Amino acid sequence: MLNFNFLPFPVLQTDRLILDRAVDSDAMELYLLRSNDAVMKYVERPRPADEHDARELNRSMNEKINQHEAVAWAIRLKGNPKLIGVIGYWRTKPEHHRAEVGYMLMPEYWAQGYTYEALMAVLDYGFNTMNLHSIEADINPDNVASGNLLRKCGFQSEAYFRENFFWKDRYYDSEIFGLLAREFKKH
């Protein structure tokens, strides 16, 4: 079984981005991200009601980081401290050398390659530092852009579950994508 250690917190850099730990001062941007209708269109999860709720969400994630159960990064443009998105391994399965990746980005930054850039850095960290064997992503199949991004990064569709997720009086389908360490190629 793998043992994860996310302390000191791993700061990742790409050509245009810095991925670092979200802090209390990011609460307003986190609230704006997690309450944005376009961002949350395919995310069947509770939305924060206000900046306080976003701060609690961040506190909860930081607790999981400190306990080595999960890791999440704030996505920032180099030279700008503003949080523009988040990415991380929300569910880790150390006994299976597997983790689930998730991401979201403010709409004004979509279609510019930022999520791809951040995801490739996080995949590299997952395979080469965390020593994962496989990484999965669970998406709403209607989220075509997310499915295309995952395929671009080398993921394959592994499963499609019909109406397996219940949220706010409705059933949703899920599509599971997977990527093995031996299939990962840094682009």
Side-chain angles (χ1 to χ4, degrees):
M1 177 161 60
L2 296 177
N3 289 312
F4 301 131
N5 183 356
F6 304 119
L7 300 174
F9 188 83
V11 175
L12 309 178
Q13 292 194 44
T14 70
D15 289 342
R16 301 180 295 167
L17 304 172
I18 292 179
L19 309 179
D20 64 8
R21 194 169 188 163
V23 293
D24 276 348
S25 60
D26 294 318
M28 179 52 77
E29 282 82 17
L30 190 58
Y31 165 69
L32 294 172
L33 178 73
R34 297 287 302 229
S35 63
N36 184 291
D37 288 338
V39 171
M40 299 299 287
K41 181 176 182 179
Y42 302 110
V43 181
E44 294 79 29
R45 297 281 185 270
R47 297 181 186 196
D50 53 28
E51 189 177 345
H52 178 282
D53 280 0
R55 190 172 283 110
E56 286 302 307
L57 178 68
N58 189 51
R59 185 199 56 73
S60 173
M61 180 45 72
N62 277 315
E63 193 173 290
K64 290 180 183 204
I65 292 167
N66 292 338
Q67 295 172 353
H68 313 296
E69 295 174 7
V71 61
W73 290 268
I75 302 172
R76 305 177 202 280
L77 297 176
K78 283 187 173 176
N80 184 346
K82 180 180 162 188
L83 179 148
I84 65 167
V86 293
I87 188 166
Y89 293 114
W90 314 117
R91 288 187 190 94
T92 58
K93 301 174 187 172
E95 68 278 13
H96 300 297
H97 302 205
R98 189 169 174 98
E100 179 184 338
V101 70
Y103 42 82
M104 56 181 61
L105 194 71
M106 288 299 289
E108 59 265 33
Y109 300 98
W110 291 357
Q112 298 174 53
Y114 292 124
T115 310
Y116 172 80
E117 203 171 309
L119 182 54
M120 290 301 286
V122 167
L123 294 175
D124 183 58
Y125 178 83
F127 288 127
N128 294 311
T129 301
M130 293 173 66
N131 295 313
L132 296 173
H133 174 72
S134 60
I135 296 171
E136 68 184 72
D138 181 344
I139 69 166
N140 180 320
D142 293 333
N143 191 344
V144 174
S146 191
N148 288 341
L149 171 66
L150 292 168
R151 286 182 190 89
K152 182 177 178 180
C153 292
F155 282 80
Q156 296 178 31
S157 178
E158 293 184 338
Y160 190 103
F161 296 102
R162 297 178 310 138
E163 298 184 3
N164 71 315
F165 192 82
F166 187 72
W167 171 253
K168 290 194 173 182
D169 300 323
R170 182 173 164 213
Y171 291 97
Y172 292 87
D173 294 353
S174 293
E175 187 169 9
I176 309 300
F177 285 80
L179 179 64
L180 301 177
R182 67 177 173 266
E183 299 167 338
F184 176 66
K185 297 177 188 80
K186 288 174 66 173
H187 295 82

